[in-house]
Amino acid sequence: MVEHYDALIVGGGAAGLMCAITAGRRGKRVLVVEHANRVGKKILMSGGGRCNFTNTGTTPENYLSANPHFCKSALARYSPWHFIDMVERHRIAYHEKELGQLFCDESSKLIVRMLLDECASAGVRVETGCSIEQVQARNPGYEVRTNRGVFRSDALVVASGGLSIPAMGASGFGYQLARQFGHDVLPTRAGLVPLTLSGRPLEQLADLSGVAFAVTATSNGQVFSNSMLITHRGVSGPAILQISSYWEPGDPLSIDLLPGRDALDVLQQWQAERPAAELKTLLGELLPKRFAQRLCEVWLPNRPMRQYNLPRLREMAATLAAWPLVASGTEGYRTAEVTLGGVDTAGVSSSTMESRQVPGLYFIGEVLDVTGWLGGYNFQWAWASGHAAGSAL
Ligand code: FDA
């Protein structure tokens, strides 16, 4: 016998579960189909196991999309405070780490538990280990053939996420479904991802793997101040992950090694006050010593401060303020936190997430061409877009 639902949601991740809860609370019969052996795997691994579940400073400016206005309506109607309210009702302890980023005190497992408890009380059925073989429009509604049988539904919600971390269940299935129903999919690429170096730049830094310090990273007009970590393959850390979403191979990337300071002022002050001290010693007071030493071996001449004339000081200040890092690429989807690009929002209603051309078809979360910065913004988009669809279907 074919079972019938008001909504069948493809993907039991952050967006799919929120959509299911919202629709279930409205009395809708909802089925969540998840092909992995458990729901919310990315929630479990997020935030170093503590899930950075939202950001209290969320604004539309924290998102990348071909249409920067698309995210506004959903974000305005489901704010971080709505999600915090759910977290508090479930007595999950949390704290602010920095810049509005909220993390669980204990474990991200509590967020998945909360979502599953909410699903249960809203009467949502969740099927894990359920692989979809075929989706067809039935006019009205949809028929979905799976390894667990055939389901019919009035609404079909695509919440299957992006391509990052294939080992966690990521698949291109959402894009395939979008194309099947005539939607455009904008080119995808890895975002919030470590950058790789090759050749000389890699040789110059690889043995400093593990060294981290505060920088300001700039590319294509975007600027992020936070820490940078040298890895054995290139560079990572929050400043690099953030800028990676705005950078593509071949684009210029510059790193201010003395963020918040005027490099020329710093050098001139050292020259006036400590003329006998060598540059590498003084830089080693502001930067990790090993990195300061490498800077003075490769990019800057190391001498006692008194020996530099003003033009040389200016050149050195320019290098410190805009250290040219030549990245060759990114680590790709294997380690990326998100996928940039995806289902073109031009074909989707920003208030309901419903397809403009196919009635009853919805797209939510990361499968859409909406990508947040690092810091809880991606989950906030998943909650907000899931809530918008769950309220409308
Ligand atoms: P999500 O990927 O969560 O869920 C999609 C679901 O669909 C998955 O369960 C998948 O198995 C399932 N699926 C895929 N294909 C299917 C198919 N054919 N049939 C059935 N099911 C299918 N964000 C943030 O805000 N704060 C943070 O701390 C972090 N940390 C973080 C760490 C790491 C390591 C990663 C990789 C990512 C993050 N993120 C994050 C990003 C965040 O995890 C991501 O943006 C959201 O999980 C997106 O939610 P979705 O529900 O759209 O996709």
Side-chain angles (χ1 to χ4, degrees), residues 35-52:
H35 70 164
N37 58 355
R38 60 194 300 184
V39 298
K41 282 196 175 183
K42 276 199 191 156
I43 301 174
L44 291 174
M45 74 190 297
S46 68
R50 294 219 165 126
C51 187
N52 177 194

Side-chain angles (χ1 to χ4, degrees), residues 140-151:
Y142 298 86
E143 184 175 279
V144 179
R145 293 186 172 274
T146 75
N147 61 339
R148 298 276 171 82
V150 180
F151 304 105

Side-chain angles (χ1 to χ4, degrees), residues 16-293:
L17 293 176
M18 177 56 80
C19 179
I21 292 163
T22 310
R25 279 187 195 153
R26 293 175 50 237
K28 301 283 179 184
R29 285 161 303 147
V30 181
L31 171 66
V32 176
V33 169
E34 167 58 56
H35 70 164
N37 58 355
R38 60 194 300 184
V39 298
K41 282 196 175 183
K42 276 199 191 156
I43 301 174
L44 291 174
M45 74 190 297
S46 68
R50 294 219 165 126
C51 187
N52 177 194
F53 55 81
T54 192
N55 191 302
T56 55
T58 300
T59 68
E61 284 68 47
N62 304 118
Y63 295 87
L64 295 89
S65 172
N67 175 3
H69 303 292
F70 181 82
C71 62
K72 288 183 179 172
S73 168
L75 289 174
R77 284 177 296 135
Y78 192 87
S79 76
W81 304 104
H82 288 101
F83 194 77
I84 293 166
D85 182 55
M86 191 191 285
V87 168
E88 290 182 349
R89 273 196 289 109
H90 286 256
R91 300 183 195 287
I92 299 175
Y94 64 89
H95 60 279
E96 178 175 344
K97 197 168 162 196
E98 54 168 355
L99 309 166
Q101 301 170 9
L102 302 191
F103 286 75
C104 297
D105 285 358
E106 286 174 36
S107 163
S108 44
K109 284 183 193 154
L110 298 176
I111 298 292
V112 176
R113 184 71 269 149
M114 172 186 85
L115 295 168
L116 283 174
D117 286 349
E118 289 280 335
C119 279
S121 70
V124 172
R125 175 177 168 196
V126 178
E127 276 292 327
T128 52
C130 186
S131 306
I132 296 175
E133 287 149 11
Q134 193 185 43
V135 176
Q136 279 181 302
R138 273 284 171 241
N139 208 10
Y142 298 86
E143 184 175 279
V144 179
R145 293 186 172 274
T146 75
N147 61 339
R148 298 276 171 82
V150 180
F151 304 105
R152 288 249 176 109
S153 67
D154 296 338
L156 181 72
V157 183
V158 183
S160 50
L163 295 167
S164 50
I165 324 269
M168 285 292 132
S171 76
F173 187 68
Y175 309 131
Q176 194 185 310
L177 268 183
R179 289 193 185 97
Q180 178 185 332
F181 288 101
H183 278 262
D184 286 338
V185 178
L186 300 181
T188 57
R189 64 190 170 88
L192 301 180
V193 62
L195 299 181
T196 52
L197 306 175
S198 57
R200 286 273 294 155
L202 182 62
E203 284 162 26
Q204 286 158 349
L205 290 177
D207 65 316
L208 301 184
S209 171
V211 171
F213 46 95
V215 299
T216 295
T218 303
S219 186
N220 290 319
Q222 279 293 325
V223 181
F224 289 100
S225 295
N226 211 310
S227 67
M228 176 178 91
L229 167 73
I230 299 174
T231 71
H232 62 283
R233 292 161 56 101
V235 283
S236 185
I240 296 299
L241 297 179
Q242 296 279 34
I243 207 71
S244 73
S245 295
Y246 291 88
W247 176 90
E248 289 192 66
D251 290 346
L253 170 65
S254 88
I255 307 290
D256 184 346
L257 297 171
L258 302 179
R261 298 171 196 254
D262 182 296
L264 186 58
D265 281 356
V266 171
L267 293 174
Q268 287 184 311
Q269 197 178 348
W270 284 341
Q271 192 168 52
E273 293 171 7
R274 301 167 73 182
E278 286 191 354
L279 178 66
K280 75 171 180 209
T281 312
L282 296 167
L283 279 174
E285 292 172 10
L286 298 179
L287 292 162
K289 285 195 171 42
R290 287 168 65 206
F291 181 70
Q293 173 150 0

